[in-house]
Amino acid sequence: MKNIIVFVSGYGSNLQEIIDKSKNLYKISVVISNKKNAYAIKRAEKANIPVIYSPFVRSKMSREDYDNALANLVCNINYDLIV
């Protein structure tokens, strides 16, 4: 079974499709959101999927620094694919 990470930032309709289709094909290891109030987080929590909130604050870091922080974050997660 493949492990996947799903990045979300909004309503989560694509996440819901991934959850609904997962069955024995793959496991969602974690959902990562840059928006604290994204409805996708509620969808993940309802499906008992761990959530990581990782905000991008333009005044505090560059986009490159944020991307590097995300890369470091996912290095500590067991995954086969990022969606």
Side-chain angles (χ1 to χ4, degrees):
M1 178 175 296
K2 301 289 183 186
N3 292 308
I4 65 172
I5 296 172
V6 181
F7 281 87
V8 299
S9 64
Y11 188 68
S13 55
N14 289 332
L15 172 63
Q16 190 62 57
E17 285 295 316
I18 293 168
I19 292 168
D20 293 345
K21 304 275 193 264
S22 65
K23 306 242 187 236
N24 295 324
L25 299 174
Y26 49 84
K27 176 186 177 227
I28 303 172
S29 298
V30 67
V31 167
I32 300 174
S33 179
N34 65 333
K35 295 187 179 172
K36 189 175 187 177
N37 296 321
Y39 187 73
I41 291 173
K42 294 184 189 314
R43 292 178 187 269
E45 290 170 344
K46 184 177 177 184
N48 296 315
I49 300 166
V51 174
I52 297 173
Y53 169 58
S54 180
F56 172 58
V57 182
R58 289 179 198 256
S59 62
K60 294 187 178 182
M61 67 174 61
S62 70
R63 181 60 199 220
E64 183 179 358
D65 288 342
Y66 180 72
D67 290 346
N68 287 331
L70 283 178
N72 289 331
L73 176 69
V74 299
C75 284
N76 296 312
I77 300 169
N78 179 27
Y79 72 95
D80 300 297
L81 179 69
I82 296 176
V83 179

